[in-house]
Each structure stands twice: as C-alpha cells, then as structure tokens.
Amino acid sequence: MSDRNAWHRDGGEVTCLACGDSVARDDAREYDKHGDRWNREEKSFEFLCKPCYRECCHSPRRGLEERLIEAGAGTTDQTTFLRRYCALARDGTPPERER
C-alpha cells in the first residue's frame, strides 16, 4: 500500500450522502458529522462526491447536528422538520413536539 493511500480503509465505491450517486472512494470526500475527521479511531464516515463537497459551506457548524436531531431530521416529514428547525434557529426554543 502506498503512503498516499495508507490511511484509506478500502478503495471501492461509496454513496454520496447529498445526491445519492455512487462514486469511487478516491473521487469522494469524507464527511464526519462531528467535525473531527482527523481523529480516526473506531470511526466510520459518510462521503460526499467532489461536486457536492465543493457546494458545501465550510463554515464552523458547532451545534448543527444537535439542532438537526432536535428538529427531527430523518424522522419526521419535511414540513414538520422545517418548522421545528426554523424555530430552533430563530430563538433556540423548539415548538412542542406532536405526540
């Protein structure tokens, strides 16, 4: 294994979490939702294809994952998620969750 690829787990294909395209691992960028991609111990990564990666905002995202989870990302419909997310972004207080 070359030094350049020594830290890669495997080659192969990965799926871009933004667009869903399958791309070669070498044509993708790692995404670590905790923002610490350099600490590799016992960690798995998601991936972005290079075009989607270039479109990303590379600003600090402290608290973003927690806000997404609190708003119900991936667990509720889009309208409910957006309402909750906007409330959290506006004043940090989520609207009451539906039962």
Side-chain angles (χ1 to χ4, degrees):
M1 186 179 295
S2 74
D3 289 341
R4 178 179 130 10
N5 291 321
W7 55 271
H8 285 262
R9 303 288 162 111
D10 301 18
E13 287 198 342
V14 296
T15 301
C16 175
L17 67 95
C19 69
D21 285 351
S22 290
V23 297
R25 169 61 189 90
D26 289 342
D27 291 330
R29 295 289 181 250
E30 292 175 342
Y31 172 78
D32 176 17
K33 68 182 177 180
H34 300 291
D36 180 20
R37 71 183 211 154
W38 302 112
N39 179 6
R40 308 186 76 73
E41 297 297 318
E42 299 180 29
K43 190 182 274 190
S44 62
F45 294 90
E46 295 177 290
F47 298 90
L48 292 164
C49 65
K50 289 180 182 179
C52 288
Y53 180 79
R54 283 191 289 275
E55 294 295 320
C56 286
C57 173
H58 296 281
S59 299
R61 59 183 189 268
R62 180 168 286 133
L64 176 60
E65 288 296 323
E66 292 82 5
R67 185 179 294 163
L68 291 170
I69 291 166
E70 177 66 23
T75 63
T76 190
D77 63 273
Q78 184 178 20
T79 301
T80 302
F81 165 74
L82 290 173
R83 183 175 44 77
R84 290 176 183 171
Y85 184 86
C86 288
L88 286 163
R90 185 175 43 254
D91 61 15
T93 306
E96 233 178 277
R97 288 188 177 257
E98 297 79 20
R99 299 210 190 305

